[in-house]
Amino acid sequence: MPAVRRVRILALTIAFAFVTLYYLSQRGNVWNYGYTPYLPKTIFTDGKTHWLKLSDRYPVTSFIPLPTGTPHKIPTVQALAPAEKPKVRYERVRRRDAVKESFKHSWEGYKKNAWLRDEVTPLTGQYRDTFGGWAATLVDSLDTLWIMGLKEDFALAVQAIEEIDFTTTETKEVNVFETTIRYMGGFLAAYDISGGKFPVLLTKAVEVGELLMSCFDTPNRMPISRWDWKKYTEGYAQTAPARMLVSELGSFSLDFTHLSQVTGDPKYYDAIARIANVLNDGQNSTKLPGMWPVSIDAATPSFAEDNFFTLGGMSDSLYEYFPKHYLLLGGLLSQPKQLYESFIEVAKEFLFFRFYNPGNLPVQASGDIRVTDDGEKRLIPRGQHLTCFTGGMVGLASRIFDRPQDLQTAEELTQGCIWAYDAAPNQIAPELYTVIPCPKNSACGWEDSVWHDIIKTNYGGSGRTGQSVEKIIQERNLWKGIVGVDDRRYILRPETIESVFIMWRITGKQIYQDAAWRMFQAVEKVSRTEFAAAAIADITVTGDGKEDNEQPGAEPRKRYDDNTGRTGVRAQQMDSMESFWLAETLKYFYLCFEDFDVVSLDEWVLNTEAHPLRRPR
């Protein structure tokens, strides 16, 4: 009997050994990197076309290694937390809770009307799929839910993400930039902020990462920005585009680097390191050496053709990420610092400018530059909501790169964007507006005549009378300091409050908290709907709507979905609420009033969708 038992034990041991060896050979990813395989071998029976990972046509033979080792000592970013009297703390917490209530209102509208879809439509209470139909608002909101203490909703959302299938979409071309910052960044940040307690978040981040790695399979390993995933699955060869926005090329660094950090798989970092090297090699070959133009050739690659330069739309996050990438790598790679310091001096000389304003405030804006054929650098003195991240970027870099002389520039850029809110008819800045640049190195005192002269020049008739100027101002809905509004929308953007938050944490100055509260009240007043919050078609329209006096944080009254009978700016509400309202805008508002150490900038790096990634320790 004992002999039979020994034979059985031996047989079971041999069988277990074979099973273990097979498991190890088939599921190496699990054992090597600690996450579930990115794509289970599934036979789909839904009749849809599904993405299939193919062998690389242009494989990498040697990976650029992820910098490792003990992080360098980087100067502290945040100021000491300001001392608070009980009354001040009470008011701060009251404001924080008002922001939280606003978030909950929009989140509930999404839950009830658009669950697992990309966006809720705030006027009609329907849904819209804008980013692949992969539940963009849900994924984008994950870390905000955790930060605001909405743990039950966080758990519900985490459970729901298992239903998201990143192998198929009705979208013909995947927007690789948006998929990276919203989905991959959203999953990674939620994984980090929740302490790694929900492994499915990392699993989903890897699924997105593997999907997006397919767009790097080109002859020069530069990515495809608008990726035809079905053609890839059918086996077509791919080439990086000859026309690509520079932000689409340069905004992968944080999320891909962090995916390598948390999985141990070097290929994601390798992908973005190759891009960084291309940017480094081309930095001084452009028509404005030190900066890269909006339109670039990723196939060659080349940065020499386009002559338009900006820190605004289509370029912004490229520049934003240099100091942030340095932080995420613990200072172990000097390249991001070098790229930043080479471009910022050019931006200070040619793009940043002080502008006339009735209060004679020391404020700056970041304009655009067009380089002429003969090399002249022509400033377009345009303010963009999208460039308002710049103050926060310069402030952050002034700390970590020990550039104290730049802190004043950071404050003046941020104050310039705050002024654009405070001065506007509804205390909210429009998308694009034109101001009057001050002469360099000379006085810049406000005079109505200067403002009027520019308006007359812009809109005709140098011989017009003062009354005619007043008529132009009225017809074009301008206000003092503004000589043109090229895009009157407000689409719930976060860039100004992003810089306000960063400057609040860097300086501890109460003026930034106060500005944040003014901005929040103004936005809540015009955007809130029955279901969520709405973008505004023309934020410069004046006149009171029926419910314009509703208090932020109060229970919303019944809204009219079609704005029937409404007047004023609330009649300009659009049936659109992008996911960044919950991912970025309300998160930054909330953090302006939350305890100073929550999402500390000395512990976290926020990607361009405000997803916090943990810095190495």
Side-chain angles (χ1 to χ4, degrees), residues 476-512:
R476 296 187 175 271
N477 203 6
L478 304 176
W479 54 98
K480 285 194 173 185
I482 300 295
V483 294
V485 183
D486 299 316
D487 187 341
R488 295 178 180 271
R489 294 175 302 152
Y490 171 68
I491 60 171
L492 308 174
R493 282 205 188 276
E495 288 77 19
T496 299
I497 188 58
E498 173 186 349
S499 283
V500 169
F501 160 70
I502 293 173
M503 297 312 299
W504 160 240
R505 290 292 185 87
I506 286 175
T507 68
K509 293 180 180 179
Q510 186 63 36
I511 56 172
Y512 294 110

Side-chain angles (χ1 to χ4, degrees), residues 597-614:
D597 60 347
V598 174
V599 191
S600 167
L601 297 177
D602 291 304
E603 298 175 6
W604 301 89
V605 178
L606 285 82
N607 84 345
T608 198
E609 195 75 2
H611 292 310
L613 308 175
R614 185 172 286 282

Side-chain angles (χ1 to χ4, degrees), residues 140 182 491-494 578-585 609:
D140 236 1
R182 300 189 194 224
I491 60 171
L492 308 174
R493 282 205 188 276
E578 285 210 44
S579 63
F580 55 62
W581 169 244
L582 299 181
E584 298 186 73
T585 310
E609 195 75 2

Side-chain angles (χ1 to χ4, degrees), residues 557-584:
R557 300 179 184 137
K558 176 70 176 176
R559 308 294 188 195
Y560 296 95
D561 295 347
D562 59 359
N563 282 331
T564 301
R566 304 291 298 284
T567 61
V569 68
R570 288 183 56 79
Q572 296 290 318
Q573 288 179 340
M574 303 160 64
D575 204 15
S576 172
M577 185 189 84
E578 285 210 44
S579 63
F580 55 62
W581 169 244
L582 299 181
E584 298 186 73

Side-chain angles (χ1 to χ4, degrees), residues 99-111 114-115 117-120 135-148 150 182 490-494 520 524 531-533 577-591 609-612:
V99 177
K100 181 177 179 178
E101 190 281 329
S102 178
F103 176 92
K104 289 170 65 177
H105 173 70
S106 291
W107 172 252
E108 288 298 324
Y110 172 77
K111 276 173 61 180
W115 190 243
R117 312 308 295 235
D118 284 347
E119 297 172 7
V120 64
T137 293
L138 186 152
V139 178
D140 236 1
S141 302
L142 285 167
D143 56 79
T144 312
L145 289 166
W146 185 274
I147 290 166
M148 291 187 178
L150 302 173
R182 300 189 194 224
Y490 171 68
I491 60 171
L492 308 174
R493 282 205 188 276
F520 172 72
E524 183 82 345
F531 301 108
M577 185 189 84
E578 285 210 44
S579 63
F580 55 62
W581 169 244
L582 299 181
E584 298 186 73
T585 310
L586 287 176
K587 181 188 296 164
Y588 283 128
F589 276 125
Y590 182 85
L591 289 174
E609 195 75 2
H611 292 310

